[in-house]
Amino acid sequence: MENYVPEPEPPVFKGVINVVATPDTALRLLSRHFPVLVVIAEGVEARSARLVSASKIEPVALAEIYGAVYGLSPEQKIQLRDLLEKGEAMRWSTRHAWLRPLVEVWEGGEEPTGAVKSRAAGKAGVLDSLLYAYVTKAPVLTDRKDVAKLAGEMGLTVFLLSGEATGNFLITGPAVVKLPEGSLEVGPGGYLLHVGGLIYGGLI
């Protein structure tokens, strides 16, 4: 396959891309293309760290991402943005329960490279991860459709471990892929990427 389909470059990877591969294989392949890969998935080995300090992120973006992860109302998002712009978010976090999770990721970001996952647990880990992906323009590898939706709405590249070769997808061999143009065979040790109607491939 590598003889007639070009290897993809990172700009080709965009939107939500379904992945049909084992998590380890996907991690190995994607790590070759990206200096930072943010992992939000169980059972995927990646360096664990506190990823980014929320205090360094511009108020509008931080309020939007925090609001999306924690389900804030439009009014709460506006209030949070105003508090961030005034430098008062941490002081008010003692008064508003909906602001308290922000304290956990406010400082202490290590900004690691390679395949990384947040040390923070639960929603705080999702927030830490999405903030870091936003700052670094890194893709997200996840097994969660809710996270993929959030990240996709943020304009991030998302690799969803869905096991479904539909829409935009990445599949590793051995496999046979049926496309409108016909069937393609992906040999052992190879992969195929279908994005925006274009086909790319190569060796893992």
Side-chain angles (χ1 to χ4, degrees):
M1 180 192 316
E2 64 273 17
N3 293 329
Y4 65 90
V5 233
E7 279 259 5
E9 293 297 327
V12 169
F13 297 113
K14 56 186 176 182
V16 178
I17 300 170
N18 287 294
V19 177
V20 186
T22 65
D24 288 345
T25 300
L27 193 68
R28 188 167 74 250
L29 176 57
L30 296 174
S31 293
R32 205 170 75 208
H33 289 278
F34 300 98
V36 177
L37 177 66
V38 179
V39 178
I40 310 174
E42 295 297 325
V44 180
E45 291 297 323
R47 177 185 171 189
S48 177
R50 262 284 288 108
L51 302 180
V52 69
S53 298
S55 60
K56 295 182 179 180
I57 297 169
E58 62 271 22
V60 172
L62 178 53
E64 278 300 316
I65 298 169
Y66 183 87
V69 172
Y70 284 93
L72 300 190
S73 67
E75 293 77 16
Q76 287 173 321
K77 287 183 186 179
I78 292 170
Q79 187 178 359
L80 174 55
R81 185 195 66 202
D82 291 344
L83 290 172
L84 289 167
E85 289 174 344
K86 294 173 183 175
E88 297 180 353
M90 288 299 96
R91 184 164 65 88
W92 281 86
S93 67
T94 59
R95 304 185 190 185
H96 297 298
W98 56 270
L99 271 177
R100 285 175 197 150
L102 187 58
V103 177
E104 189 174 346
V105 297
W106 190 246
E107 298 291 355
E110 301 169 46
E111 301 185 17
T113 58
V116 297
K117 64 195 313 184
S118 179
R119 188 183 299 130
K123 285 188 176 181
V126 173
L127 175 65
D128 191 25
S129 299
L130 292 181
L131 289 175
Y132 193 46
Y134 169 79
V135 167
T136 59
K137 302 295 186 283
V140 173
L141 175 65
T142 185
D143 57 359
R144 294 175 50 178
K145 288 186 177 180
D146 60 329
V147 169
K149 184 174 183 293
L150 275 178
E153 288 171 351
M154 289 168 54
L156 298 173
T157 297
V158 187
F159 294 94
L160 175 61
L161 293 161
S162 66
E164 301 172 357
T166 58
N168 293 330
F169 64 85
L170 173 68
I171 187 169
T172 57
V176 175
V177 181
K178 293 183 179 179
L179 298 169
E181 301 85 353
S183 296
L184 280 176
E185 184 175 349
V186 187
Y191 73 90
L192 183 143
L193 172 72
H194 180 264
V195 178
L198 299 176
I199 300 169
Y200 303 82
L203 298 175
I204 298 170

